[in-house]
Amino acid sequence: MPTRHLYMLRHGAADAWGEPTDVGERQSALVGRRLAALPIETVWHSPLPRAVRCARTIGIHLPGATVREAPELVDHVPHVPTELPPEWAPFFDGYDAEEAAAGERQAAALTARFARPAATETHEVLVTHAYQVAWLVRHALDAPSARWLGLNCGNTALTAIEYRDGTAPTLLLYNDMGHLPPELRWTGFGAATRP
């Protein structure tokens, strides 16, 4: 039975304008080296510069892989809960119904394209953003839509999910930073300070 192997990651660290930093470049190279042992065919990336650059750096370490854009991987809020946890209320302040509906459409397109089995055995890398990784993990676990909240992931941390016909998705790894030295492990969320 063919398996679709998805290796997802949030792009490398970026500055306030969304451009990759030196730290982000180092993170991208290290995850590329880690992925080099796998039979990766395609590195898909968000159209945003921080993801494009990360995917290209990863691609240097995967000479047999094609690096391609996938608009479904763009950064967006995938779901706005109707009942907001109090700690998240400030984050969603100002989101209107139209923005929320657009985010849900983008999230549906993301899962329709990537969260399913393939006709043949595939190994694909998705270079995307924290919310999209969280959304795909939530989907794989068949958790309620609001559970994407709080599923934080570090820059270039690996998450791996397998999809096969007739079975539920298998979450193999989540937020694995084993390829990064301690000074490059940072989620960008919570009380942690940036290196």
Side-chain angles (χ1 to χ4, degrees):
M1 173 181 328
T3 300
R4 183 178 209 169
H5 305 266
L6 286 187
Y7 308 95
M8 297 172 279
L9 58 115
R10 178 184 179 195
H11 57 81
D15 64 22
W17 297 273
E19 293 296 325
T21 63
D22 290 343
V23 167
E25 285 293 326
R26 286 178 58 208
Q27 291 168 326
S28 300
L30 289 167
V31 75
R33 285 186 207 138
R34 181 173 180 184
L35 291 166
L38 300 171
I40 305 295
E41 296 106 15
T42 309
V43 179
W44 299 100
H45 62 78
S46 157
L48 298 180
R50 57 195 183 266
V52 173
R53 185 107 145 253
C54 180
R56 287 181 182 157
T57 300
I58 290 169
I60 291 167
H61 300 278
L62 307 172
T66 304
V67 178
R68 300 181 59 192
E69 182 177 306
E72 297 86 352
L73 296 172
V74 74
D75 198 8
H76 68 276
V77 171
H79 174 76
V80 179
T82 52
E83 294 183 30
L84 289 174
E87 64 274 14
W88 282 94
F91 177 79
F92 291 107
D93 188 35
Y95 268 86
D96 61 27
E98 188 176 313
E99 286 176 299
E104 299 230 358
R105 285 191 301 274
Q106 288 177 297
L110 173 65
T111 54
R113 179 159 184 191
F114 291 108
R116 60 183 175 76
T120 60
E121 191 85 8
T122 62
H123 293 264
E124 302 161 272
V125 175
L126 307 183
V127 180
T128 187
H129 307 276
Y131 301 158
Q132 286 53 61
V133 173
W135 185 255
L136 290 170
V137 168
R138 179 226 55 88
H139 182 269
L141 297 175
D142 199 23
S145 295
R147 286 300 296 133
W148 75 273
L149 294 171
L151 288 174
N152 302 331
C153 63
N155 295 108
T156 72
L158 276 177
T159 295
I161 301 175
E162 291 179 345
Y163 298 90
R164 291 177 195 82
D165 277 327
T167 64
T170 303
L171 179 65
L172 300 173
L173 286 174
Y174 174 68
N175 202 39
D176 186 319
M177 296 185 224
H179 52 283
L180 299 175
E183 68 272 13
L184 297 183
R185 296 176 188 179
W186 175 72
T187 66
F189 297 96
T193 58
R194 189 173 181 156

